[in-house]
Amino acid sequence: MSQSYRDTEMTRLIEALLVSPRAGQAVARALEAQCDDRAARVLIAEMRLRRAERLRDSALDEAEARGMGAAASDGGSPWARSR
């Protein structure tokens, strides 16, 4: 069987499915469900990414605050020190 014959047969099969009201509706529902699932996975991934960014930012803020605290505890302001 040639590739073009298989493609033609697949096209006819898809057209037959979509012409039938019930089959067309079933295909549409299946596609919609796949889109909904994909959208939910994307939303969850975005939420996880934002949470990871917030955690990273807060860890950086804490490290910076600890560094500033350590510099202040040696008696001088980090801005007033001579280089």
Side-chain angles (χ1 to χ4, degrees), residues 29-68:
R29 280 193 298 272
L31 291 174
E32 185 177 11
Q34 285 181 349
C35 288
D36 290 344
D37 290 344
R38 184 173 293 128
R41 286 193 305 269
V42 167
L43 178 64
I44 290 169
E46 288 174 351
M47 290 171 64
R48 286 179 178 161
L49 176 65
R50 284 194 299 269
R51 182 173 187 267
E53 288 173 346
R54 281 195 310 269
L55 290 173
R56 185 197 67 216
D57 290 346
S58 69
L60 289 173
D61 289 345
E62 288 175 12
E64 185 178 309
R66 280 193 304 270
M68 296 294 272

Side-chain angles (χ1 to χ4, degrees), residues 8 11 15 27 31 35 44 46 48 67 71 74 83:
T8 304
T11 301
E15 287 173 349
V27 169
L31 291 174
C35 288
I44 290 169
E46 288 174 351
R48 286 179 178 161
D74 67 3
R83 293 182 190 222

Side-chain angles (χ1 to χ4, degrees), residues 8-28:
T8 304
E9 287 300 308
M10 184 61 74
T11 301
R12 287 184 186 155
L13 178 63
I14 292 170
E15 287 173 349
L17 280 173
L18 295 177
V19 168
S20 166
R22 288 186 191 264
Q25 289 173 355
V27 169

